[in-house]
Amino acid sequence: MPVAPDRQALEVDGHRLVLTHLDKVLFPQTGTTKAAVLHYFVRVAPEMLDHCAGRPASFVRAPDGPDGQSWYAKNPPPGLPDWVTVTQVASREGPAPYVVIDSTASLLAMVNLGAYEIHVPQWTAANGPDAHDRMVFDLDPGEGVDLVLCCRIALGVRRLLAEDGLEAYPVVSGAKGLHLYVPLRPTAERRVSDYAKALAVRMQREHPDLVTAVMARAARPGKVFIDWSQNASAKTTAAPYTLRVRPRPAVAAPVTWDQVTACEHPDDLRFTPDQVADRVAERGDVLADLADPAGAHELPDQVRNRRRG
């Protein structure tokens, strides 16, 4: 039986995949097809896997693109090949199954099922949810401000982290803001969250007109919200290099501190999937040090006097 034009069978990592609906236009504003989306993920898979492998993943599934129905999915979807790694994660209701994106084949299998946005926690399945090996700050601009102010605030967060011997790595969220990651030696969730909150509160005290560490949306207009709560074990963050389901295809794109410092307009740090993949092909992963265990930090005591006042 001949294969339909919008279907393609291929072997990836020793597994057979049948990719479907390849001609479907997912992003009408740019004419981006499902085939183009799959091709993007193929191009960045080695780098993306460094930041996803071993972590129980959740997904935004949008089989028809941003103009169709979309939903946040945690459990393995129907039709998932049986060779895709699934791990059990403890929950209040008992063990729950999660997909682990640990190969190009598993990544493409999920994307083929309409999971175009991949989110992961700051811990691995092997270490468990109370041993975080990353800390993240989600800098989210409120009404009236934009990514440019996020970059200014990011430089301040970087300075405070450096005072404690911690190195931060920036990733444009692909939405409106900026993520800052810090590699850690496995550390208890409470310690990581307490430290992140204390640093966010200090930034708020130093820049009360520009920064808020308060969850309430009413506190955010005109300010950058430093979301420290992303460090809770139950929370996930858009994985580096994932596509974001927006009217125009965007990417959670790693950037350099030079780019953050030079940002004068949100478009300076807005990238298409092809731009991100081309840079990876030319320069490799600018976020590679985040995944290097040799660069992991010991989190200092978060209740130093200077943090209190």
Side-chain angles (χ1 to χ4, degrees), residues 110-141:
M110 286 302 304
V111 174
N112 191 47
L113 292 171
Y116 303 128
E117 202 169 299
I118 299 163
H119 294 240
V120 292
Q122 312 315 319
W123 48 273
T124 64
N127 289 336
D130 197 36
H132 291 214
D133 63 356
R134 296 194 308 212
M135 177 168 55
V136 65
F137 297 90
D138 181 2
L139 277 56
D140 185 15

mmCIF file of all heavy atoms in Angstrom, residues 110-141:
data_model
loop_
_atom_site.group_PDB
_atom_site.id
_atom_site.type_symbol
_atom_site.label_atom_id
_atom_site.label_comp_id
_atom_site.label_asym_id
_atom_site.label_seq_id
_atom_site.Cartn_x
_atom_site.Cartn_y
_atom_site.Cartn_z
ATOM 1 N N MET A 110 6.581 12.314 20.390
ATOM 2 C CA MET A 110 5.659 13.225 21.069
ATOM 3 C C MET A 110 5.259 14.389 20.165
ATOM 4 O O MET A 110 4.082 14.781 20.119
ATOM 5 C CB MET A 110 6.279 13.744 22.357
ATOM 6 C CG MET A 110 6.327 12.721 23.485
ATOM 7 S SD MET A 110 4.693 12.061 23.948
ATOM 8 C CE MET A 110 3.784 13.556 24.337
ATOM 9 N N VAL A 111 6.219 14.948 19.439
ATOM 10 C CA VAL A 111 5.887 16.041 18.523
ATOM 11 C C VAL A 111 4.910 15.554 17.459
ATOM 12 O O VAL A 111 3.960 16.265 17.087
ATOM 13 C CB VAL A 111 7.167 16.614 17.883
ATOM 14 C CG1 VAL A 111 6.825 17.653 16.822
ATOM 15 C CG2 VAL A 111 8.066 17.229 18.948
ATOM 16 N N ASN A 112 5.092 14.340 16.979
ATOM 17 C CA ASN A 112 4.195 13.766 15.981
ATOM 18 C C ASN A 112 2.760 13.674 16.498
ATOM 19 O O ASN A 112 1.806 13.726 15.723
ATOM 20 C CB ASN A 112 4.701 12.375 15.578
ATOM 21 C CG ASN A 112 3.992 11.823 14.367
ATOM 22 O OD1 ASN A 112 3.817 12.508 13.363
ATOM 23 N ND2 ASN A 112 3.578 10.566 14.431
ATOM 24 N N LEU A 113 2.612 13.561 17.831
ATOM 25 C CA LEU A 113 1.282 13.487 18.450
ATOM 26 C C LEU A 113 0.762 14.871 18.849
ATOM 27 O O LEU A 113 -0.194 14.981 19.603
ATOM 28 C CB LEU A 113 1.330 12.569 19.668
ATOM 29 C CG LEU A 113 1.568 11.084 19.353
ATOM 30 C CD1 LEU A 113 1.809 10.288 20.632
ATOM 31 C CD2 LEU A 113 0.395 10.505 18.569
ATOM 32 N N GLY A 114 1.411 15.906 18.332
ATOM 33 C CA GLY A 114 0.902 17.260 18.573
ATOM 34 C C GLY A 114 1.412 17.901 19.835
ATOM 35 O O GLY A 114 0.879 18.941 20.258
ATOM 36 N N ALA A 115 2.434 17.338 20.474
ATOM 37 C CA ALA A 115 3.015 17.921 21.690
ATOM 38 C C ALA A 115 4.155 18.843 21.278
ATOM 39 O O ALA A 115 5.326 18.444 21.265
ATOM 40 C CB ALA A 115 3.503 16.814 22.626
ATOM 41 N N TYR A 116 3.807 20.069 20.935
ATOM 42 C CA TYR A 116 4.791 20.986 20.369
ATOM 43 C C TYR A 116 5.529 21.798 21.428
ATOM 44 O O TYR A 116 6.506 22.462 21.121
ATOM 45 C CB TYR A 116 4.112 21.927 19.378
ATOM 46 C CG TYR A 116 3.391 21.181 18.275
ATOM 47 C CD1 TYR A 116 2.068 21.449 17.970
ATOM 48 C CD2 TYR A 116 4.042 20.175 17.554
ATOM 49 C CE1 TYR A 116 1.405 20.750 16.966
ATOM 50 C CE2 TYR A 116 3.388 19.468 16.559
ATOM 51 C CZ TYR A 116 2.058 19.761 16.277
ATOM 52 O OH TYR A 116 1.417 19.049 15.295
ATOM 53 N N GLU A 117 5.048 21.744 22.644
ATOM 54 C CA GLU A 117 5.671 22.508 23.733
ATOM 55 C C GLU A 117 5.991 21.531 24.862
ATOM 56 O O GLU A 117 5.116 20.806 25.336
ATOM 57 C CB GLU A 117 4.705 23.585 24.216
ATOM 58 C CG GLU A 117 5.367 24.735 24.931
ATOM 59 C CD GLU A 117 4.404 25.891 25.160
ATOM 60 O OE1 GLU A 117 3.881 26.459 24.174
ATOM 61 O OE2 GLU A 117 4.180 26.220 26.339
ATOM 62 N N ILE A 118 7.253 21.516 25.287
ATOM 63 C CA ILE A 118 7.733 20.538 26.268
ATOM 64 C C ILE A 118 8.178 21.277 27.519
ATOM 65 O O ILE A 118 8.944 22.242 27.442
ATOM 66 C CB ILE A 118 8.879 19.711 25.675
ATOM 67 C CG1 ILE A 118 8.369 18.946 24.437
ATOM 68 C CG2 ILE A 118 9.468 18.748 26.708
ATOM 69 C CD1 ILE A 118 9.454 18.437 23.537
ATOM 70 N N HIS A 119 7.689 20.823 28.663
ATOM 71 C CA HIS A 119 8.013 21.431 29.947
ATOM 72 C C HIS A 119 8.630 20.369 30.856
ATOM 73 O O HIS A 119 8.195 19.208 30.851
ATOM 74 C CB HIS A 119 6.753 21.991 30.612
ATOM 75 C CG HIS A 119 6.147 23.145 29.876
ATOM 76 N ND1 HIS A 119 5.985 24.386 30.443
ATOM 77 C CD2 HIS A 119 5.659 23.256 28.611
ATOM 78 C CE1 HIS A 119 5.437 25.206 29.572
ATOM 79 N NE2 HIS A 119 5.210 24.540 28.444
ATOM 80 N N VAL A 120 9.629 20.765 31.634
ATOM 81 C CA VAL A 120 10.291 19.827 32.550
ATOM 82 C C VAL A 120 10.512 20.491 33.900
ATOM 83 O O VAL A 120 10.600 21.717 34.004
ATOM 84 C CB VAL A 120 11.645 19.334 31.991
ATOM 85 C CG1 VAL A 120 11.441 18.449 30.776
ATOM 86 C CG2 VAL A 120 12.559 20.502 31.667
ATOM 87 N N PRO A 121 10.618 19.686 34.967
ATOM 88 C CA PRO A 121 10.895 20.228 36.299
ATOM 89 C C PRO A 121 12.388 20.439 36.499
ATOM 90 O O PRO A 121 13.201 20.100 35.621
ATOM 91 C CB PRO A 121 10.362 19.132 37.225
ATOM 92 C CG PRO A 121 10.625 17.865 36.454
ATOM 93 C CD PRO A 121 10.393 18.230 35.006
ATOM 94 N N GLN A 122 12.743 20.944 37.653
ATOM 95 C CA GLN A 122 14.151 21.229 37.962
ATOM 96 C C GLN A 122 14.809 20.048 38.686
ATOM 97 O O GLN A 122 15.787 20.230 39.408
ATOM 98 C CB GLN A 122 14.255 22.510 38.804
ATOM 99 C CG GLN A 122 13.473 23.688 38.279
ATOM 100 C CD GLN A 122 13.609 23.923 36.790
ATOM 101 O OE1 GLN A 122 14.693 23.802 36.220
ATOM 102 N NE2 GLN A 122 12.495 24.258 36.145
ATOM 103 N N TRP A 123 14.287 18.862 38.484
ATOM 104 C CA TRP A 123 14.833 17.657 39.095
ATOM 105 C C TRP A 123 14.683 16.499 38.111
ATOM 106 O O TRP A 123 13.887 16.555 37.182
ATOM 107 C CB TRP A 123 14.123 17.330 40.412
ATOM 108 C CG TRP A 123 12.612 17.377 40.340
ATOM 109 C CD1 TRP A 123 11.806 18.468 40.519
ATOM 110 C CD2 TRP A 123 11.725 16.281 40.044
ATOM 111 N NE1 TRP A 123 10.480 18.125 40.356
ATOM 112 C CE2 TRP A 123 10.400 16.800 40.072
ATOM 113 C CE3 TRP A 123 11.916 14.929 39.773
ATOM 114 C CZ2 TRP A 123 9.280 16.006 39.839
ATOM 115 C CZ3 TRP A 123 10.802 14.122 39.531
ATOM 116 C CH2 TRP A 123 9.505 14.674 39.577
ATOM 117 N N THR A 124 15.474 15.462 38.328
ATOM 118 C CA THR A 124 15.424 14.281 37.479
ATOM 119 C C THR A 124 14.690 13.146 38.187
ATOM 120 O O THR A 124 14.604 13.104 39.414
ATOM 121 C CB THR A 124 16.838 13.801 37.118
ATOM 122 O OG1 THR A 124 17.515 13.381 38.315
ATOM 123 C CG2 THR A 124 17.640 14.914 36.449
ATOM 124 N N ALA A 125 14.189 12.234 37.381
ATOM 125 C CA ALA A 125 13.495 11.073 37.948
ATOM 126 C C ALA A 125 14.434 10.235 38.801
ATOM 127 O O ALA A 125 14.035 9.660 39.810
ATOM 128 C CB ALA A 125 12.891 10.228 36.826
ATOM 129 N N ALA A 126 15.707 10.175 38.406
ATOM 130 C CA ALA A 126 16.670 9.364 39.151
ATOM 131 C C ALA A 126 16.905 9.915 40.552
ATOM 132 O O ALA A 126 17.005 9.150 41.524
ATOM 133 C CB ALA A 126 17.990 9.292 38.389
ATOM 134 N N ASN A 127 16.986 11.228 40.693
ATOM 135 C CA ASN A 127 17.237 11.836 42.005
ATOM 136 C C ASN A 127 15.970 12.036 42.814
ATOM 137 O O ASN A 127 16.013 12.108 44.037
ATOM 138 C CB ASN A 127 17.951 13.180 41.835
ATOM 139 C CG ASN A 127 19.383 13.021 41.375
ATOM 140 O OD1 ASN A 127 19.998 11.980 41.581
ATOM 141 N ND2 ASN A 127 19.918 14.044 40.731
ATOM 142 N N GLY A 128 14.836 12.197 42.127
ATOM 143 C CA GLY A 128 13.568 12.393 42.825
ATOM 144 C C GLY A 128 13.234 13.863 43.014
ATOM 145 O O GLY A 128 14.086 14.743 42.901
ATOM 146 N N PRO A 129 11.972 14.149 43.322
ATOM 147 C CA PRO A 129 11.487 15.532 43.371
ATOM 148 C C PRO A 129 12.000 16.360 44.537
ATOM 149 O O PRO A 129 11.754 17.562 44.578
ATOM 150 C CB PRO A 129 9.965 15.373 43.438
ATOM 151 C CG PRO A 129 9.743 14.002 43.977
ATOM 152 C CD PRO A 129 10.869 13.171 43.475
ATOM 153 N N ASP A 130 12.715 15.763 45.479
ATOM 154 C CA ASP A 130 13.276 16.563 46.565
ATOM 155 C C ASP A 130 14.790 16.699 46.434
ATOM 156 O O ASP A 130 15.498 16.942 47.417
ATOM 157 C CB ASP A 130 12.931 15.957 47.935
ATOM 158 C CG ASP A 130 13.135 16.971 49.053
ATOM 159 O OD1 ASP A 130 12.865 18.171 48.827
ATOM 160 O OD2 ASP A 130 13.571 16.577 50.149
ATOM 161 N N ALA A 131 15.286 16.582 45.200
ATOM 162 C CA ALA A 131 16.717 16.762 44.948
ATOM 163 C C ALA A 131 16.859 17.548 43.650
ATOM 164 O O ALA A 131 17.066 16.982 42.581
ATOM 165 C CB ALA A 131 17.437 15.421 44.861
ATOM 166 N N HIS A 132 16.730 18.859 43.757
ATOM 167 C CA HIS A 132 16.759 19.711 42.579
ATOM 168 C C HIS A 132 18.201 19.957 42.125
ATOM 169 O O HIS A 132 19.055 20.321 42.938
ATOM 170 C CB HIS A 132 16.084 21.052 42.878
ATOM 171 C CG HIS A 132 14.607 20.944 43.084
ATOM 172 N ND1 HIS A 132 13.736 21.932 42.692
ATOM 173 C CD2 HIS A 132 13.834 19.965 43.633
ATOM 174 C CE1 HIS A 132 12.497 21.569 42.992
ATOM 175 N NE2 HIS A 132 12.540 20.377 43.564
ATOM 176 N N ASP A 133 18.438 19.779 40.839
ATOM 177 C CA ASP A 133 19.781 20.040 40.315
ATOM 178 C C ASP A 133 19.823 21.312 39.476
ATOM 179 O O ASP A 133 20.827 21.599 38.825
ATOM 180 C CB ASP A 133 20.322 18.851 39.531
ATOM 181 C CG ASP A 133 19.490 18.520 38.293
ATOM 182 O OD1 ASP A 133 18.436 19.167 38.080
ATOM 183 O OD2 ASP A 133 19.905 17.634 37.528
ATOM 184 N N ARG A 134 18.720 22.068 39.487
ATOM 185 C CA ARG A 134 18.686 23.374 38.846
ATOM 186 C C ARG A 134 17.786 24.292 39.679
ATOM 187 O O ARG A 134 16.837 23.838 40.311
ATOM 188 C CB ARG A 134 18.108 23.309 37.422
ATOM 189 C CG ARG A 134 18.923 22.516 36.452
ATOM 190 C CD ARG A 134 18.532 22.732 34.999
ATOM 191 N NE ARG A 134 17.122 22.563 34.711
ATOM 192 C CZ ARG A 134 16.640 22.101 33.558
ATOM 193 N NH1 ARG A 134 17.489 21.760 32.594
ATOM 194 N NH2 ARG A 134 15.361 22.000 33.350
ATOM 195 N N MET A 135 18.118 25.563 39.668
ATOM 196 C CA MET A 135 17.243 26.599 40.203
ATOM 197 C C MET A 135 16.877 27.502 39.034
ATOM 198 O O MET A 135 17.705 27.759 38.159
ATOM 199 C CB MET A 135 17.950 27.383 41.304
ATOM 200 C CG MET A 135 17.150 28.535 41.888
ATOM 201 S SD MET A 135 17.896 29.203 43.411
ATOM 202 C CE MET A 135 19.559 29.600 42.836
ATOM 203 N N VAL A 136 15.632 27.982 39.015
ATOM 204 C CA VAL A 136 15.209 28.819 37.905
ATOM 205 C C VAL A 136 14.471 30.044 38.428
ATOM 206 O O VAL A 136 13.742 29.969 39.428
ATOM 207 C CB VAL A 136 14.324 28.033 36.912
ATOM 208 C CG1 VAL A 136 13.007 27.601 37.545
ATOM 209 C CG2 VAL A 136 14.075 28.824 35.646
ATOM 210 N N PHE A 137 14.705 31.170 37.777
ATOM 211 C CA PHE A 137 13.949 32.389 38.004
ATOM 212 C C PHE A 137 13.240 32.725 36.701
ATOM 213 O O PHE A 137 13.883 32.834 35.648
ATOM 214 C CB PHE A 137 14.865 33.548 38.398
ATOM 215 C CG PHE A 137 15.601 33.330 39.697
ATOM 216 C CD1 PHE A 137 16.846 32.709 39.703
ATOM 217 C CD2 PHE A 137 15.054 33.734 40.905
ATOM 218 C CE1 PHE A 137 17.530 32.497 40.884
ATOM 219 C CE2 PHE A 137 15.738 33.522 42.091
ATOM 220 C CZ PHE A 137 16.973 32.914 42.088
ATOM 221 N N ASP A 138 11.919 32.901 36.777
ATOM 222 C CA ASP A 138 11.123 33.258 35.607
ATOM 223 C C ASP A 138 10.809 34.746 35.708
ATOM 224 O O ASP A 138 10.025 35.171 36.554
ATOM 225 C CB ASP A 138 9.842 32.426 35.588
ATOM 226 C CG ASP A 138 8.960 32.721 34.377
ATOM 227 O OD1 ASP A 138 9.367 33.545 33.533
ATOM 228 O OD2 ASP A 138 7.873 32.138 34.280
ATOM 229 N N LEU A 139 11.446 35.552 34.860
ATOM 230 C CA LEU A 139 11.243 36.992 34.867
ATOM 231 C C LEU A 139 10.128 37.322 33.883
ATOM 232 O O LEU A 139 10.288 37.167 32.661
ATOM 233 C CB LEU A 139 12.536 37.731 34.494
ATOM 234 C CG LEU A 139 13.545 37.951 35.626
ATOM 235 C CD1 LEU A 139 13.957 36.651 36.298
ATOM 236 C CD2 LEU A 139 14.776 38.684 35.095
ATOM 237 N N ASP A 140 8.993 37.755 34.431
ATOM 238 C CA ASP A 140 7.768 37.928 33.655
ATOM 239 C C ASP A 140 7.365 39.405 33.660
ATOM 240 O O ASP A 140 7.057 39.960 34.722
ATOM 241 C CB ASP A 140 6.659 37.069 34.261
ATOM 242 C CG ASP A 140 5.384 37.080 33.449
ATOM 243 O OD1 ASP A 140 5.424 37.513 32.284
ATOM 244 O OD2 ASP A 140 4.336 36.674 33.979
ATOM 245 N N PRO A 141 7.360 40.080 32.504
ATOM 246 C CA PRO A 141 7.013 41.501 32.489
ATOM 247 C C PRO A 141 5.520 41.726 32.663
ATOM 248 O O PRO A 141 4.694 41.084 32.018
ATOM 249 C CB PRO A 141 7.486 41.952 31.103
ATOM 250 C CG PRO A 141 7.382 40.728 30.253
ATOM 251 C CD PRO A 141 7.701 39.568 31.167
#
